[in-house]
Amino acid sequence: MLALVFTPALLTLVRVWSSVDYYSQCFLIPIVSALSFRKRARGLGPSRRDPRGAIALAVAFALYLLGLAADSASLQGLSVVLAVSAVVLHAWGPQGLRRLAFPVAFLLFMVPIPSAVLTPIIVWLQLQVSVASVDALQALGYSVLRAGNVVLLPGGASLFVAEACS
C-alpha cells in the first residue's frame, strides 16, 4: 500500500534519474538497498511494534504532500526514505531500525540534490578540475593555459571541462 501511495514520487524520481546524467546510478540504489535489507532483516526475529513509527509516517506523508505541492523531487525522495524508516520503526522498533540503518540510510543516495545547492558545487568542481589539469600538464612540460574551465592547448585547440567531468 505504501508503494501505491508513493508511486507519483517514485515516478518523479525515475524521471529525474533518467534525464540527468549524474543521477543514472540511482536506479541501482533501491536494488542494493533491498538486497542489504533482506540480508539484515533475517535475524530480526519477532516484531516489536513502536507507535513512533506511525508518527514518523504521518510526517513522511506531510513532507510528501509538500514535495508534490512544490514539485520538488528532493522533498518527494526524502519523504519516501522517511516512510521506509517509519515502517521499519513501526514494525521492528528502534532495535530493528538500528539493525536496518544501512539499507534505509543508503536510500538517501537516490534522492536528487536540489539544483540550487548542486549547481554552485558543480561550477566549483569544474574549476578545480581545470586548475588541476593545467597544473599537471604544465608539470609534465606541456605549454597549456586555462581560461575559466577551458584548457587552451598548443595550436589553438581547446578542451572544455564539462559537468560530467567534475
Side-chain angles (χ1 to χ4, degrees):
M1 182 162 142
L2 195 63
L4 185 62
V5 170
F6 283 96
T7 296
L10 297 172
L11 292 174
T12 297
L13 290 173
V14 166
R15 189 176 64 247
V16 170
W17 300 343
S18 59
S19 64
V20 181
D21 290 339
Y22 44 85
Y23 287 126
S24 59
Q25 81 285 352
C26 291
F27 287 102
L28 296 175
I29 292 170
I31 296 167
V32 171
S33 182
L35 292 172
S36 178
F37 186 97
R38 184 175 167 201
K39 181 179 177 184
R40 291 170 184 257
R42 284 189 188 133
L44 277 177
S47 67
R48 297 186 180 118
R49 297 200 184 271
D50 192 322
R52 293 178 291 185
I55 296 167
L57 192 56
V59 172
F61 284 131
L63 184 62
Y64 176 50
L65 292 175
L66 181 64
L68 286 174
D71 195 29
S72 170
S74 301
L75 290 178
Q76 292 178 45
L78 285 174
S79 70
V80 169
V81 176
L82 181 57
V84 170
S85 302
V87 168
V88 169
L89 178 62
H90 182 71
W92 288 291
Q95 183 180 11
L97 186 57
R98 274 191 299 277
R99 182 171 178 112
L100 297 169
F102 173 77
V104 171
F106 190 68
L107 291 173
L108 289 171
F109 288 110
M110 73 178 189
V111 178
I113 299 170
S115 61
V117 174
L118 191 59
T119 301
I121 294 170
I122 288 174
V123 170
W124 181 80
L125 285 172
Q126 282 178 294
L127 185 60
Q128 298 307 310
V129 169
S130 301
V131 168
S133 299
V134 167
D135 289 347
L137 287 169
Q138 287 176 344
L140 292 171
Y142 292 96
S143 177
V144 294
L145 297 172
R146 182 182 60 83
N149 61 342
V150 177
V151 179
L152 304 170
L153 303 170
S158 62
L159 296 172
F160 176 74
V161 178
E163 287 182 6
C165 298
S166 63

